[in-house]
Amino acid sequence: MKLTIERAALLRALGHVQSVVERRNTIPILSNVMLKAEKGKLSLAATDMDIEIVERVPAQVSRDGATTAPAHTLYDIVRKLREGAQIELDAGSDRGSMTLRSGRSTFTLQCLPPEDYPHLAGGELPHTFQLTASELKQLIDRTRFAISTEETRYYLNGIYFHATRSNEMPVLRAVATDGHRLARVEMMCPEGAAGMPGVIVPRKTVGELRKLIDENEGEIGLALSETKIRFAFGEATLTSKLIDGTFPDYDRVIPTGNDKILEVDCKTFAEAVDRVATISTEKSRAVKLSLDKNTLVLSATSPENGTATEELEVRYNAAPMEIGFNSRYLLDIAEQIEGEGVQFAMSDAASPTVVRDTADPSALYVLMPMRV
Amino acid sequence: MSIRLLPPTLVNRIAAGEVIERPAAAVKELVENALDAGASRIDVVLENGGQTRIAVVDDGCGMSSEELLLAVERHCTSKLPDDDLLRIRHLGFRGEALPSIGAVSRLEITSRPRGSEAAWRLRVEGGEKGALAPAAHPPGTRVEVRDLFYATPARLKFLKTPRTERDAAVDAVQRLAMAWPQIAFSVTADEGRALLKLAPASDRRTRLAAILGRDFADNAVEIAAEREGARLSGLAGLPTLARATAKDQYLFVNGRPVRDKLLLGAVRGAYQDLLAGDRHAMVALFLELPAEEVDVNVHPAKAEVRFRDSQMVRGLIVGALRHALAAAGHRASTTVAATALHAFRAPPSMGMLALQPRPSARELAEAQALYAPPPAAAEPAPAAAEEPEPAELYPLGLARAQLHDTYILAETRNGFVLVDQHAAHERLVYERMKAALAANGVARQALLLPEVVELDEKAAALVAGRAEELAQLGLVLEPFGPGAVVVREVPALLGDKVEVAALVRDLADELAELGEAFALKERLEEVCGTLACHGSVRAGRKLSVPEMNALLRQMEATPHSGQCNHGRPTYVELRREDIERLFGRR
């Protein structure tokens, strides 16, 4: 394999694939990125056995071939080379090493044979459909904060994507929960998605996916089976295993009869919560909401620091009530609301509260109160 | 095969299997008999770890020839005068020890009742009673056991090395000796070497010091508490005296050494958050309660007992220990100082120093300039310039300097203390948090997806039975059919990474084992501990003299400030005598 490539193009592609590679591996080849040159393109692939990213970049290929080189080292070298530099990669007949030349720098990297590189791709992915980058971004961004990090309930360590019907309309839904709060976002079901099985996309995949979305406009092709999902962006492809588990029946925990409705300007509310929570030194940062006709008093107490209260003008017409929340959870949700107003539908101080964007019905959040 | 009644010798051997499992058990039974006989001195001789010969000689009330014949019969005892198992005032009561020993060894008892002129001797070999013979013996009883377990070769095979068996026997005597300070004990090995020699002691502290060492007696707080007719006394070691195993926890119920789970659990509960999880306190506790409040007839070797009101006993122990330890306040054990003293070394010989060239006058002047204090104006308030407080007023003295930006050196009335500023402040912050937690209750985060935890039926019932208590600590759960509980709320302090199922399982195990749920409290305290660690003054931070003094004053006012959250000392104290000793002035 011999080729010449522009630094920026190689750096960009390496940047995508190297983040999948774990820093420490028990299988040596998993630390490597697979490089394959053919037909005027260099394809780079990296995997951790759960996720695989393949990206192709144009290059001046003078000899086809393939090898695998240490991903993080290669990335660091390319990163430190001068901007606009031309890079020559040469893996000669001696396949144990690859030489990288750029200007006056020469590096020789230890390589492992490409035949040993594990491939995740393969297997039938019967369900295919298209989403725009911004649609997928919405689905992910509004739910990922609620993904659980606790490992015993592994089936909560990801976003649950599934097709269902809402108000008689077919929808594609993304749901995530950590047992304390839940986020549910839906959109019109794209063509071809209606028959898809419900799948749980793992947290790490979500993170990698999110980085790729940022750099790609336009359509993303999704293909999935019950065990794997693939996202195709122009020249890059991300394939991931899915979490093998059953997502809980989340519909059961979304209350429908909450009749105490509070509407408040989202930004004002979030700022007030943030201010009031400053006083509490505890890790749990509890904030109490006291509601009366058209007024909301936010308060927090700390045995060490004292107390804080802030009064807000809101729309509220139900019976007076008090309810406590973890302020971090409130802020997390407020951050997801893009419109001006946020609506809280409550029942009592011990039951789940439903939070919505007043302007946008597609997203819904459920939050459990804190008992102070 | 038809069912038949077993011959009495075999019955006795079976019983012996339970009561006399090793030489130490025989020694314990015989010494207990001597104690019950009202002896004032008891001598034990062990040959070959007790395997070849055990002799126990006392100066107690002795036995007449008729009593002697009865004593080796099964279920014959003088210790249940009114046939009431609910009122057991002696150490023994079942009448099993002597016949059991007699069944598996060559037993020889010589006894002379007090006030009688004649002594009699009786031999029993492998359960076969011999004839009474007149003998010469001072008032009291001498029991000799030769070739223990010769009649049960299987048991003999399972004995450990003579040395191990001997240590176990000495340990058994030591335990009894702790409970009976006014009685003299001795244990002698085959070659006449004294393994234990205890003179009659006037009080318990002296006896405990003789057995457990001066260290323990010096670094333990006196326990004395009474509740509903139960009296607890003894000594509890300071947390800084902790050990790696629970071996040095000596517990006695009505003078009877026990290893009871309830009591051990109570001790652990009392020391909780003063010790790291793998450290164990040293205690010697004596519980006295009316005979009818306790059932000692539950374990063949009487190592376990049952209390009528176990919660009261638990409360008494935890309460008394906590109270005493809190009163000990900032005391750290002197063993810490002793270790520190050993670390000091005399400087290398003076000859070496003399060989070095003397600094020239110029060099000296330069050095002096370097070390000279800055002009007075640059340092507005040196400590001495403030109100001249006498160091005597404070137990932890007045801060004189900070060493390596980590340790505070304070001068006390008769010595100095060295305080680890981070460890000390960490404990102060932690104690403050704990107080806040106790005052305001634990905030609970309700769960959107209640978590069902599968347990076995008994464990589930046990956990659900303590639901109210757990709710106070922030864990709300309910029974969920047989063999499961559903958790609805968790302590908010634990964050969103709490592994509920593992926590509940730990709680269930502890409730079954120790009768109390430590795991939850421990986790809360662990979180507090981490927060305290982050929220406290680190090593490497410069402190001014007023800051250091403020820290010392807070330490004096805060309970448990003598050790950090992991049981390490927060300060060491060197007394003036110690310093003088270091320099050979004493």
Side-chain angles (χ1 to χ4, degrees):
Chain A
M1 180 188 87
K2 188 168 183 182
L3 59 96
T4 310
I5 186 168
E6 210 266 320
R7 173 185 171 268
L10 182 58
L11 184 63
R12 203 175 94 100
L14 268 176
H16 292 156
V17 299
Q18 62 92 27
S19 65
V20 175
V21 178
E22 295 284 351
R23 286 271 158 197
R24 277 166 282 273
N25 276 305
T26 50
I27 307 174
I29 203 159
L30 289 183
S31 302
N32 284 9
V33 54
M34 161 114 160
L35 302 163
K36 195 169 175 186
E38 65 188 352
K39 295 180 198 146
K41 294 234 166 153
L42 170 66
S43 101
L44 301 95
T47 182
D48 67 352
M49 305 286 262
D50 287 324
I51 310 174
E52 180 188 72
I53 298 185
V54 182
E55 186 155 351
R56 294 200 296 168
V57 283
Q60 291 164 283
V61 178
S62 49
R63 189 171 71 239
D64 285 2
T67 188
T68 75
H72 294 295
T73 316
L74 183 60
Y75 177 66
D76 285 344
I77 293 170
V78 174
R79 197 165 49 83
K80 290 172 183 173
L81 290 175
R82 219 169 279 124
E83 224 170 284
Q86 288 292 317
I87 299 169
E88 184 196 275
L89 298 177
D90 184 0
S93 48
D94 165 26
R95 304 207 307 171
S97 68
M98 178 179 84
T99 310
L100 181 153
R101 284 185 208 93
S102 176
R104 295 187 181 191
S105 319
T106 305
F107 300 86
T108 308
L109 296 171
Q110 294 297 319
C111 296
L112 291 167
E115 299 80 40
D116 296 350
Y117 205 74
H119 279 285
L120 190 64
E124 190 91 349
L125 301 174
H127 304 274
T128 57
F129 56 95
Q130 302 272 320
L131 286 176
T132 66
S134 68
E135 282 168 344
L136 187 56
K137 195 166 142 182
Q138 287 276 323
L139 290 178
I140 290 177
D141 283 3
R142 291 173 151 199
T143 49
R144 88 186 263 208
F145 73 94
I147 298 177
S148 168
T149 50
E150 191 247 314
E151 305 284 336
T152 45
R153 293 203 272 185
Y154 61 93
Y155 48 85
L156 298 183
N157 297 153
I159 300 180
Y160 178 56
F161 288 93
H162 68 136
T164 181
R165 297 182 79 78
S166 167
N167 297 327
E168 302 305 308
M169 298 286 283
V171 290
L172 175 68
R173 262 188 196 164
V175 186
T177 179
D178 63 1
H180 296 180
R181 62 245 170 105
L182 176 143
R184 188 193 83 186
V185 180
E186 60 193 23
M187 57 173 280
M188 280 293 294
C189 195
E191 204 177 316
M196 73 176 264
V199 296
I200 309 172
V201 179
R203 189 174 56 230
K204 186 176 175 188
T205 307
V206 169
E208 297 300 330
L209 189 57
R210 190 60 191 77
K211 279 186 237 163
L212 287 172
I213 294 173
D214 270 344
E215 297 187 24
N216 289 280
E217 296 293 320
E219 295 275 295
I220 298 165
L222 278 80
L224 58 91
S225 68
E226 281 185 3
T227 55
K228 271 182 206 163
I229 190 164
R230 175 177 301 152
F231 300 86
F233 305 78
E235 292 293 347
T237 311
L238 183 155
T239 312
S240 169
K241 285 188 190 163
L242 295 164
I243 292 178
D244 182 13
T246 314
F247 201 76
D249 180 10
Y250 65 88
D251 260 334
R252 237 165 16 104
V253 301
I254 301 178
T256 48
N258 283 5
D259 51 357
K260 294 178 173 146
I261 309 294
L262 158 73
E263 281 184 8
V264 56
D265 180 75
C266 183
K267 193 156 168 263
T268 324
F269 177 75
E271 284 173 358
V273 168
D274 198 16
R275 267 195 295 275
V276 168
T278 318
I279 196 88
S280 62
T281 43
E282 267 186 50
K283 214 174 151 194
S284 50
R285 294 191 175 257
V287 167
K288 197 166 75 185
L289 280 64
S290 312
L291 287 154
D292 207 335
K293 194 169 165 44
N294 288 344
T295 50
L296 162 66
V297 177
L298 293 166
S299 60
T301 36
S302 147
E304 281 167 60
N305 288 349
T307 59
T309 56
E310 181 157 344
E311 201 176 307
L312 293 178
E313 240 176 78
V314 296
R315 262 200 286 165
Y316 182 75
N317 283 314
M321 71 174 292
E322 283 191 350
I323 187 166
F325 289 108
N326 184 327
S327 62
R328 189 162 62 78
Y329 293 168
L330 284 177
L331 293 174
D332 278 349
I333 288 179
E335 218 171 277
Q336 310 307 320
I337 308 273
E338 282 174 355
E340 282 189 0
V342 55
Q343 184 206 68
F344 290 80
M346 291 166 284
S347 158
D348 60 57
S351 310
T353 293
V354 179
V355 189
R356 276 198 176 88
D357 187 339
T358 39
D360 177 7
S362 70
L364 169 147
Y365 307 94
V366 185
L367 182 56
M368 274 316 264
M370 205 164 131
R371 316 292 302 275
V372 197
Chain B
M1 201 176 277
S2 58
I3 298 177
R4 67 190 176 92
L5 194 65
L6 294 176
T9 40
L10 195 54
V11 170
N12 278 343
R13 278 181 201 165
I14 292 173
E18 274 185 15
V19 183
I20 310 297
E21 26 139 22
R22 59 195 293 192
V27 171
K28 172 180 164 285
E29 294 292 342
L30 295 176
V31 173
E32 282 183 354
N33 279 347
L35 287 168
D36 282 341
S40 68
R41 77 166 283 122
I42 298 170
D43 298 299
V44 181
V45 180
L46 297 172
E47 223 171 275
N48 192 19
Q51 242 182 81
T52 313
R53 186 167 76 103
I54 300 170
V56 177
V57 185
D58 69 56
D59 59 355
C61 60
M63 286 176 277
S64 65
S65 54
E66 299 83 47
E67 285 179 308
L68 203 50
L69 279 172
L70 267 179
V72 295
E73 288 297 332
R74 206 162 145 71
H75 303 308
C76 287
T77 184
S78 59
K79 301 172 187 176
L80 276 178
D82 42 8
D83 289 349
D84 187 356
L85 268 178
L86 294 178
R87 257 182 245 273
I88 292 167
R89 293 207 178 77
H90 292 92
L91 294 172
F93 55 85
R94 283 197 284 245
E96 269 182 340
L98 280 180
S100 292
I101 296 171
V104 295
S105 69
R106 298 181 225 275
L107 176 71
E108 182 185 296
I109 311 174
T110 318
S111 189
R112 172 169 153 200
R114 239 175 245 158
S116 160
E117 291 295 310
W120 292 90
R121 172 178 299 145
L122 179 68
R123 283 209 175 95
V124 182
E125 277 200 25
E128 299 297 324
K129 201 153 61 161
L132 269 178
H137 195 264
T141 307
R142 173 189 181 87
V143 182
E144 272 208 36
V145 181
R146 282 176 191 276
D147 304 323
L148 188 61
F149 299 132
Y150 91 94
T152 46
R155 175 71 59 153
L156 199 58
K157 245 192 294 187
F158 282 94
L159 287 185
K160 305 227 169 70
T161 63
R163 205 196 146 86
T164 314
E165 295 297 344
R166 188 191 75 198
D167 290 348
V170 173
D171 186 63
V173 180
Q174 275 182 344
R175 281 175 190 273
L176 286 165
M178 283 184 214
W180 303 81
Q182 66 285 5
I183 294 168
F185 287 86
S186 82
V187 180
T188 322
D190 22 4
E191 60 273 36
R193 197 157 54 88
L195 298 173
L196 186 74
K197 203 164 177 63
L198 297 168
S202 51
D203 60 4
R204 223 165 237 165
R205 193 180 267 265
T206 321
R207 173 55 61 88
L208 288 174
I211 296 174
L212 295 175
R214 249 308 102 221
D215 261 2
F216 176 71
D218 284 350
N219 295 296
V221 288
E222 195 93 36
I223 306 288
E226 203 164 347
R227 190 189 286 184
E228 295 168 40
R231 233 165 52 79
L232 183 73
S233 57
L235 292 180
L238 292 173
T240 38
L241 196 74
R243 294 295 154 97
T245 67
K247 192 173 69 68
D248 284 321
Q249 297 186 342
Y250 299 93
L251 304 166
F252 301 85
V253 175
N254 290 347
R256 187 188 300 283
V258 294
R259 288 208 68 79
D260 191 76
K261 277 179 186 162
L262 174 94
L263 299 178
L264 292 172
V267 170
R268 188 173 155 210
Y271 276 92
Q272 186 194 21
D273 94 351
L274 296 176
L275 291 177
D278 55 348
R279 306 291 291 169
H280 299 271
M282 269 180 93
V283 294
L285 296 177
F286 302 86
L287 183 66
E288 314 274 343
L289 64 182
E292 56 270 22
E293 287 291 323
V294 54
D295 185 359
V296 290
N297 195 12
V298 291
H299 187 274
K302 298 165 197 152
E304 280 169 24
V305 292
R306 234 173 252 155
F307 297 101
R308 217 167 56 196
D309 187 354
S310 54
Q311 279 313 307
M312 185 274 288
V313 170
R314 221 198 121 68
L316 172 67
I317 295 177
V318 175
L321 282 177
R322 286 243 143 197
H323 184 77
L325 290 172
H330 54 77
R331 241 180 100 190
S333 73
T334 52
T335 35
V336 178
T339 331
L341 265 181
H342 286 301
F344 281 110
R345 295 266 160 70
S349 74
M350 296 310 275
M352 289 292 287
L353 286 178
L355 280 179
Q356 286 170 358
R358 282 171 172 263
S360 70
R362 196 172 58 84
E363 277 170 331
L364 269 183
E366 272 175 10
Q368 269 170 8
L370 276 173
Y371 288 101
E379 203 176 335
E386 285 182 2
E387 51 197 295
E389 287 172 288
E392 295 86 274
L393 282 181
Y394 303 112
L396 289 181
L398 288 175
R400 291 294 181 223
Q402 192 187 18
L403 310 178
H404 299 292
D405 294 348
T406 304
Y407 306 101
I408 299 169
L409 180 67
E411 185 179 341
T412 59
R413 196 157 60 95
N414 53 3
F416 68 84
V417 297
L418 205 52
V419 180
D420 179 334
Q421 66 187 41
H422 174 64
H425 195 233
E426 186 177 333
R427 186 78 205 184
L428 295 179
V429 174
Y430 174 70
E431 286 294 331
R432 217 162 44 220
M433 277 179 164
K434 245 176 51 182
L437 212 59
N440 302 316
V442 181
R444 314 189 300 268
Q445 170 68 51
L447 294 180
L448 185 58
L449 305 170
E451 199 155 335
V452 177
V453 183
E454 304 272 346
L455 299 161
D456 62 73
E457 210 162 308
K458 203 170 121 227
L462 215 52
V463 175
R466 298 292 193 99
E468 206 170 308
E469 189 184 314
L470 294 173
Q472 274 173 7
L473 292 169
L475 188 72
V476 176
L477 48 78
E478 297 163 13
F480 192 74
V485 292
V486 58
V487 177
R488 300 208 176 273
E489 296 174 16
V490 296
L493 204 57
L494 296 184
D496 48 13
K497 282 209 178 180
V498 51
E499 289 190 11
V500 177
L503 175 61
V504 172
R505 269 185 212 115
D506 285 0
L507 288 173
D509 286 350
E510 279 175 349
L511 284 173
E513 182 83 353
L514 304 165
E516 185 166 2
F518 293 112
L520 182 52
K521 232 174 158 193
E522 273 170 5
R523 289 206 198 173
L524 287 175
E525 279 161 358
E526 202 178 280
V527 175
C528 280
T530 319
L531 287 178
C533 182
H534 294 310
S536 52
V537 167
R538 290 304 173 91
R541 153 108 176 263
K542 260 201 185 6
L543 295 176
S544 67
V545 171
E547 280 176 310
M548 290 191 273
N549 275 324
L551 187 70
L552 295 177
R553 299 296 84 78
Q554 281 179 43
M555 283 174 71
E556 283 157 9
T558 308
H560 312 306
S561 62
Q563 62 278 330
C564 79
N565 307 341
H566 319 291
R568 286 193 298 269
T570 54
Y571 73 90
V572 293
E573 179 167 16
L574 280 193
R575 269 171 281 170
R576 205 164 168 160
E577 304 94 86
D578 296 332
I579 304 169
E580 284 167 351
R581 211 169 285 135
L582 268 179
F583 290 101
R585 279 166 168 257
R586 271 180 182 243

